Amino acid sequence: MSVLFSVLALGCALLVHQAASDDKAVSYSGYQVWTITTRSNEESQLVLNLRQLYGLDVWQWQEFQSADAPTDLLVPPQLIKELKLKLNEANISYVVKIEDLQSDINDENPKANSSSFDTKAAHKMDWISYHRLDDIYGYLNYLAATYPNLVELINIGTSYENRSLYLVRISNATAPDSQPAVWIDGGFHAREWISPALATYIIKQIVEEPANAKLLNNIDWYIMPVANPDGYEYSHVRSRLWRKTRSLTTSARCLGVDPNRNFDFKWGGSGSSSNPCSQVFKGSKAFSEVETLAYSKFIISKSKQIKLYLTLHSYGQKLLIPWGYNREYPSNFADMLALGNCAASKFKIFKYGVGNKVDLLYRAAGNSADWAKSIGINYVYTVELPTRGFVVPASNITPIVQDFFPAIDVFATKIATLKV
Ligand code: 0X9
Ligand code: ZN
């Protein structure tokens, strides 16, 4: 018991997270990811305390699931021995899911575009490698130039580090804003590279695959593949596990805000932190981040049209339904669940869990999906894509995005029937 108390007293103090020096990428050599499976609430509590004591980055966990739900933890090399000892003492079992994170990072992406070294190509996008922001924006530009009657490139503002915030509108409507619309975003969390890959794949399928032309019947699409471009670039060049934005905070050591805790609905509640060093730092106020503010302003400007909101994250293989600030359910929860289940029934390779966010995950006040629901969007989902961590080989992209795409058809069929 006394151990438990001293651990609790320390609270969420130190964060064992490496800072990137100015010019070099952070190395995760010797870092491991462990999956810990507890068998009772007491064991779960102990793991929670260890997380806080050592400031461990938790990759995946569940707050209210049955006691045996697994937790994925990133374990720095210097803590491996001690943590092993602590878990053994408590008789808690774990498996090493990733032996050496840096070697996974090294093997993640095919080397310098060995795939397409065609300098004459109109764009550099493909779905066999992960792409930098320039390639993604280059592709959006290419589509807008090539299909001017279908694709409009929209700049909704500028990021903290001065990058453009781009999205595309895909529509064949003659009158503007007259049809129901779907919103899709990716790249909220910088390190979740599979999500911009899926968002761009959906764009490609809608725009460039004639077989999907029916998806344009009575629907406008707004798709923003990289909602947090500064973080995304930082995760490519400096620190593969970067999650947040890159703005200055009150702490000189710790930058960035969790964009998915920065929205103006129940902002600052459970599952968010006021510590700038936390991965779930809520920011100095709701919409403190230029990225979330620009995003919210755009969505509000189309809120009468937007009937479906999908925000793409990884990982967990889940379709999550609000609310996420607390264990509560919006009035049309059953309707959202039915549509979510119908969409998920299309997945052939990966079986997704569908349900309320808190039931399936944890509380996360200030998240974007809750906010989207709060401004009146009918169908709102957070998608946790089916990767086995944040770092997975690029060869995983194709099966994941292909398996997902048929769900878009299900959503579209429903949304096309709704009145603006
Ligand atoms: O914590 C998050 O922001 C999301 N998970 S992630 O691993 N992609 O960071 C989940 C947000 C979903 N909402 C709730 N759990 N309430
Ligand atoms: Zn995420």
Side-chain angles (χ1 to χ4, degrees):
M1 259 312 140
S2 69
V3 177
L4 228 152
F5 270 114
S6 60
V7 165
L8 272 175
L10 269 160
C12 33
L14 35 151
L15 244 202
V16 195
H17 224 271
Q18 294 195 357
S21 66
D22 278 349
D23 49 351
K24 248 180 84 222
V26 171
S27 168
Y28 285 97
S29 178
Y31 279 64
Q32 297 192 332
V33 175
W34 294 3
T35 302
I36 300 177
T37 309
T38 50
R39 289 160 303 184
S40 65
N41 290 337
E42 268 158 29
E43 289 188 358
S44 310
Q45 190 56 47
L46 191 99
V47 171
L48 206 62
N49 296 336
L50 290 172
R51 270 173 52 185
Q52 293 183 342
L53 174 65
Y54 295 115
L56 297 171
D57 188 2
V58 57
W59 277 21
Q60 166 93 324
W61 69 293
Q62 279 137 50
E63 192 176 3
F64 299 104
Q65 279 285 75
S66 55
D68 62 350
T71 297
D72 285 356
L73 283 182
L74 177 68
V75 185
Q78 67 273 22
L79 288 181
I80 289 178
K81 229 173 124 189
E82 196 169 333
L83 204 59
K84 204 178 272 185
L85 210 74
K86 286 254 157 65
L87 291 176
N88 284 343
E89 265 172 18
N91 211 4
I92 296 175
S93 62
Y94 70 94
V95 291
V96 178
K97 187 180 197 181
I98 298 172
E99 279 285 347
D100 176 46
L101 184 60
Q102 189 57 44
S103 57
D104 281 29
I105 292 173
N106 297 343
D107 295 341
E108 186 178 25
N109 222 5
K111 290 282 166 286
N113 259 354
S114 55
S115 50
S116 53
F117 223 124
D118 182 359
T119 45
K120 292 194 298 296
H123 66 80
K124 297 207 180 93
M125 204 58 200
D126 62 38
W127 289 266
I128 54 174
S129 62
Y130 298 104
H131 289 266
R132 298 283 299 277
L133 190 69
D134 270 355
D135 288 2
I136 295 174
Y137 281 180
Y139 182 56
L140 302 185
N141 254 301
Y142 158 82
L143 291 175
T146 312
Y147 308 94
N149 297 325
L150 196 58
V151 181
E152 183 192 348
L153 185 64
I154 302 177
N155 181 336
I156 61 164
T158 310
S159 73
Y160 186 81
E161 292 176 338
N162 263 320
R163 295 183 176 89
S164 296
L165 301 169
Y166 281 129
L167 59 94
V168 286
R169 173 177 186 269
I170 310 170
S171 170
N172 62 12
T174 40
D177 299 356
S178 57
Q179 325 192 104
V182 172
W183 170 274
I184 301 174
D185 68 68
F188 240 77
H189 288 141
R191 62 193 178 184
E192 298 165 12
W193 287 3
I194 190 72
S195 76
L198 174 57
T200 50
Y201 180 81
I202 294 170
I203 294 171
K204 178 193 165 58
Q205 289 298 313
I206 297 173
V207 176
E208 299 201 286
E209 279 304 324
N212 294 322
K214 62 178 185 305
L215 294 175
L216 292 163
N217 292 341
N218 205 41
I219 299 186
D220 288 356
W221 300 84
Y222 293 103
I223 307 184
M224 184 175 195
V226 190
N228 169 17
D230 294 350
Y232 187 67
E233 281 297 281
Y234 196 77
S235 74
H236 273 268
V237 299
R238 292 279 183 269
S239 185
R240 179 62 190 86
L241 295 185
W242 193 258
R243 165 180 168 98
K244 302 189 285 180
T245 61
R246 290 293 302 160
S247 60
L248 282 176
T249 68
T250 52
S251 156
R253 276 184 318 114
C254 299
L255 299 191
V257 166
D258 183 349
N260 214 23
R261 302 292 183 277
N262 193 234
F263 278 68
D264 194 9
F265 178 74
K266 307 283 176 186
W267 177 81
S270 300
S272 70
S273 168
S274 47
N275 176 357
C277 296
S278 165
Q279 293 281 37
V280 291
F281 177 43
K282 64 187 179 179
S284 57
K285 59 177 186 209
F287 295 138
S288 61
E289 302 309 280
V290 285
E291 296 83 0
T292 55
L293 184 63
Y295 174 109
S296 69
K297 281 188 171 157
F298 182 81
I299 291 184
I300 285 174
S301 77
K302 305 289 176 194
S303 61
K304 287 217 164 52
Q305 250 197 298
I306 297 175
K307 303 293 173 196
L308 169 75
Y309 172 97
L310 286 183
T311 182
L312 308 176
H313 287 254
S314 65
Y315 57 98
Q317 218 159 311
K318 292 183 174 86
L319 219 53
L320 302 167
I321 301 168
W323 302 108
Y325 71 90
N326 211 347
R327 227 173 175 184
E328 309 220 11
Y329 307 84
S331 57
N332 73 332
F333 180 80
D335 200 15
M336 283 195 279
L337 183 65
L339 182 61
N341 275 323
C342 188
S345 73
K346 297 288 168 194
F347 302 143
K348 295 219 163 62
I349 308 177
F350 305 101
K351 287 290 155 215
Y352 288 54
V354 184
N356 169 263
K357 289 201 238 201
V358 183
D359 290 345
L360 296 188
L361 220 57
Y362 43 74
R363 286 172 294 175
N367 74 77
S368 72
D370 277 8
W371 173 83
K373 189 67 197 142
S374 79
I375 64 161
I377 297 178
N378 311 42
Y379 295 93
V380 171
Y381 303 88
T382 301
V383 182
E384 294 287 356
L385 291 163
T387 50
R388 70 183 281 282
F390 296 116
V391 182
V392 294
S395 57
N396 285 231
I397 299 171
T398 303
I400 290 173
V401 300
Q402 285 182 350
D403 197 51
F404 187 87
F405 189 71
I408 291 294
D409 199 29
V410 174
F411 286 127
T413 305
K414 174 79 183 187
I415 298 313
T417 65
L418 302 178
K419 294 248 165 343
V420 173

